[in-house]
Amino acid sequence: MSGGGCSIVWFRRDLRVEDNPALAAGVRAGAVIAVFIWAPEEEGHYYPGRVSRWWLKQSLAHLDSSLKSLGTSLVTKRSTDSISSLLEIVKSTGATQLFFNHLYDPISLVRDHRAKEMLTAQGISVRSFNADLLYEPWEVNDEEGRPFTTFSAFWEKCLSMPYDPEAPLLPPKRIIPGDASRCSSDSLVFEDESEKGSNALLARAWSPGWSNADKALTTFVNGPLLEYSQNRRKADSATTSFLSPHLHFGEVSVRKVFHFVRIKQVLWANEGNRAGEESVNLFLKSIGLREYSRYMSFNHPYSHERPLLGHLRYFPWVVDEGYFKAWRQGRTGYPLVDAGMRELWATGWLHDRIRVVVSSFFVKVLQLPWRWGMKYFWDTLLDADLESDALGWQYISGTLPDGREFDRIDNPQFVGYKCDPHGEYVRRWLPELSRLPTEWIHHPWNAPESVLEAAGIELGSNYPLPIVEIDAAKVRLEQALTQMWQHEAASRAAIENGMEEGHGDSADSPIAFPQAMHMEMDHEPVRNNNPVIVTVRRYEDQMVPSMTSSLFRVDDEETSVNIRNSVVDTRAEVPNDVNVTEGPRRDTLDQAVTQPARTNATPPQFNFVVGRRNSEDSTAESSSSTRERDGGVVPVWSPSSTNYSDQYVGDDNGIGTSSSYLQRHPQSHQLMNWQRLSQTG
DNA sequence: CACGTATTCCG
DNA sequence: GGAATACGT
């Protein structure tokens, strides 16, 4: 309200005018400059894939036309550094305020925190909002104030919070445009010539943009939602909501989805429609998983690249680019897997069930490093979403406390008859099998020669034999797990004896990138002066390196200090007014590595303190903050807590570990606190 | 109704 | 693969 200048509303993955708190705040404050900055280089390895960029392009055009009808238009900038672009825009428009909505992926956490610091230093008033979640991650904690580490406990809590998620805001009636005459727009290029042809087909199936998202929601809620619980495990996906890409780009707010669906649920409950009620519960659960993915990303910023259960570091992944290629091309010899991979390649879309099938096959049968698969999903999915995909792959890989058990292989043959009982899905995507009878459609290798001949199939020539036999995969998986536990035990023993860990161990050598993916090699300088550091970092590198692993690389003392701070601040600073208090910091890796052994005896270390908004802020906002749920509660997060291992809530209250695999290995109950490792230089 | 067995579900 | 539930005798 105060200050004469206009405000900048920085759009990112909130490409909507309805229920957009940052936009609403800008409109309340006066004249608005709406801005979108395209800086994909900031995403490192996670440069958006072709179909995702296609969507973004459409969605931005849609937003721009909505903004125009409200009285302003979208200023677009091509940049390699969002923050300098913001500063430029401030300079050329005389804006005095910046509003944006929170994001929770690790890259944004760091960037947004810096943006806040740097613009505030320029005298700009910066405020940020929750537009992406039902509840902010720091609002959802257990009785002791610690973050949850299992989904069901988390979601139960979300559904029983003492206050409901905010009701969605209406779109502004009109927007007073700020003076952007001295602030030029760049035209953004999202696709090259070679991509245009492939993208042309997408428009037939999808309509990006916030009002289309709204239509998709209505269509779903009035149609397939009722039978969601019946249909959700069928491979042909006509009954899903198709909301995920809309949600990824924030074209529709989850709060709106939530309330809309809940209203329907109450209606059905009153009619005694049990099936409908149950369907809503199940659908909301999938919304909850998206919610949880942000929660995990916020609490464990490395979850997109490192297993959350540390023992997976010792898993001997099979590094075989031939396997990887066969998987990508849908030539594994397992019809359901292959059909899925062909659909993904052709359309950028996969039903959730099929995502589970192909990723589980990837990890359990092929035993390829899960981050390769995740990266491929990132490159090809229309709804590619770092947090959701990381959670999904970690779940499949058994690297979460409540994930699937690692020692169990889903057999695509049996799963096939469950989710595609008549083989229609397989036949649609694998024309070479289209004449094969249903009896053999999910296991052609068992079919009699005569049947294959009649269907025109020659295994090994026009359709592959199984790339790996399931039985062989089981044996190999068992061996790999044995090896993993041995290494894990050995390294723990070594640490307890104060010995250097894992020296000369061949399984520690880093996994190189497949050439096929455009990922940089991460050449790790060997530091002979401190072998322990070398060892630990090798384990990180065993995963496919990513932007953040190189960002947080600790090569020289000077930068590592800064990096360390930014990591710590990152977690604390998503809210616009958190106070980071300096705390004791562990400085040697030795201590940090030793820590996990002690954490069993250490009380929970999440030092969330409920604090008050600082006074400056609350007065400035008193007139405009009805939207934010602040009675002033915002976490104050002490960096000291990052020095301790994240504690996995064990069996103390009710959340009994159902997993025998984890029970046999109690140490695997601890979530890795990778932050701790990277903080120590 | 008890009991054994098939089926379903599992973030 | 194992618990929970539904089913069948």
Side-chain angles (χ1 to χ4, degrees), chain A residues 438-567:
Chain A
T438 303
E439 191 185 354
W440 308 107
I441 193 75
H442 291 300
H443 54 131
W445 57 89
N446 289 335
E449 198 50 49
S450 60
V451 171
L452 289 173
E453 208 173 305
I457 297 164
E458 198 185 327
L459 289 180
S461 102
N462 64 0
Y463 187 74
L465 283 158
I467 186 170
V468 177
E469 302 275 346
I470 293 293
D471 287 340
K474 278 183 183 157
V475 172
R476 192 174 67 181
L477 186 60
E478 263 167 45
Q479 290 168 346
L481 287 168
T482 309
Q483 213 182 99
M484 175 181 85
W485 291 120
Q486 279 169 357
H487 284 201
E488 199 265 356
S491 104
R492 265 184 317 136
I495 290 166
E496 271 160 37
N497 296 333
M499 286 160 57
E500 292 163 6
E501 172 194 6
H503 237 253
D505 197 329
S506 63
D508 295 351
S509 44
I511 293 178
F513 282 127
Q515 292 292 325
M517 312 195 77
H518 312 286
M519 297 189 274
E520 311 160 27
M521 298 292 283
D522 196 352
H523 295 294
E524 202 63 63
V526 176
R527 299 182 49 168
N528 295 316
N529 56 334
N530 191 340
V532 178
I533 285 179
V534 172
T535 303
V536 170
R537 287 167 58 201
R538 276 203 210 149
Y539 290 135
E540 309 174 12
D541 298 338
Q542 205 164 352
M543 305 300 120
V544 179
S546 79
M547 176 265 171
T548 43
S549 69
S550 45
L551 176 69
F552 295 131
R553 205 186 308 152
V554 212
D555 281 338
D556 82 288
E557 220 53 39
E558 218 54 274
T559 52
S560 75
V561 172
N562 293 330
I563 286 163
R564 183 192 297 162
N565 284 336
S566 73
V567 178

Side-chain angles (χ1 to χ4, degrees), chain A residues 166-453:
Chain A
E166 293 281 330
L169 294 167
L170 293 172
K173 291 194 189 69
R174 69 191 184 93
I175 299 172
I176 303 165
D179 178 13
S181 57
R182 299 200 6 253
C183 175
S184 63
S185 253
D186 304 327
S187 64
L188 305 182
V189 179
F190 292 106
E191 54 188 6
D192 61 41
E193 286 308 314
S194 67
E195 292 172 330
K196 278 186 177 153
S198 319
N199 285 341
L201 290 168
L202 288 169
R204 294 192 200 167
W206 298 95
S207 305
W210 72 272
S211 54
N212 293 318
D214 213 55
K215 280 182 210 149
L217 174 62
T218 310
T219 307
F220 174 67
V221 169
N222 292 327
L225 175 60
L226 180 58
E227 308 211 297
Y228 186 79
S229 69
Q230 313 294 314
N231 295 334
R232 86 205 138 96
R233 53 189 114 91
K234 289 283 169 335
D236 10 347
S237 35
T239 54
T240 60
S241 71
F242 296 108
L243 284 174
S244 56
H246 294 294
L247 281 167
H248 171 76
F249 287 107
E251 295 175 356
V252 61
S253 87
V254 283
R255 292 185 295 224
K256 179 168 182 178
V257 174
F258 181 81
H259 282 108
F260 203 18
V261 163
R262 280 301 280 271
I263 287 168
K264 203 79 183 176
Q265 187 176 38
V266 170
L267 214 80
W268 283 332
N270 288 340
E271 293 171 0
N273 186 340
R274 284 287 304 147
E277 229 188 313
E278 189 51 23
S279 282
V280 172
N281 284 336
L282 285 165
F283 175 69
L284 284 179
K285 192 172 115 178
S286 67
I287 295 292
L289 286 165
R290 192 195 92 100
E291 195 91 352
Y292 190 55
S293 73
R294 270 76 180 148
Y295 186 78
M296 289 306 262
S297 178
F298 177 76
N299 285 310
H300 309 277
Y302 294 97
S303 60
H304 64 302
E305 55 185 5
R306 297 177 202 170
L308 286 172
L309 294 177
H311 57 269
L312 254 290
R313 284 182 300 169
Y314 304 95
F315 188 83
W317 298 104
V318 173
V319 180
D320 186 324
E321 291 186 32
Y323 279 6
F324 187 35
K325 190 173 178 187
W327 179 79
R328 291 197 310 263
Q329 296 182 335
R331 301 195 55 79
T332 67
Y334 290 88
L336 189 63
V337 174
D338 293 340
M341 294 310 292
R342 307 262 182 105
E343 181 185 21
L344 173 57
W345 180 245
T347 68
W349 178 261
L350 268 190
H351 189 287
D352 180 59
R353 291 284 132 181
I354 306 301
R355 295 183 196 206
V356 170
V357 169
V358 300
S359 54
S360 168
F361 186 85
F362 186 94
V363 173
K364 305 289 181 67
V365 178
L366 300 178
Q367 293 164 36
L368 293 164
W370 61 273
R371 292 206 56 247
W372 293 9
M374 189 185 121
K375 177 63 163 58
Y376 184 73
F377 269 25
W378 173 262
D379 290 340
T380 53
L381 276 171
L382 199 56
D383 59 6
D385 182 284
L386 199 57
E387 297 96 306
S388 289
D389 292 344
L391 182 71
W393 281 87
Q394 295 240 12
Y395 163 63
I396 292 300
S397 305
T399 65
L400 295 169
D402 52 353
R404 301 203 143 195
E405 295 178 8
F406 206 125
D407 56 358
R408 219 183 94 206
I409 291 184
D410 298 284
N411 190 329
Q413 179 184 337
F414 300 139
V415 180
Y417 285 107
K418 284 233 148 113
C419 70
D420 182 31
H422 307 111
E424 287 152 3
Y425 178 73
V426 165
R427 289 193 193 91
R428 174 159 53 244
W429 293 106
L430 300 178
E432 60 266 51
L433 299 186
S434 60
R435 295 168 62 202
L436 192 63
T438 303
E439 191 185 354
W440 308 107
I441 193 75
H442 291 300
H443 54 131
W445 57 89
N446 289 335
E449 198 50 49
S450 60
V451 171
L452 289 173
E453 208 173 305

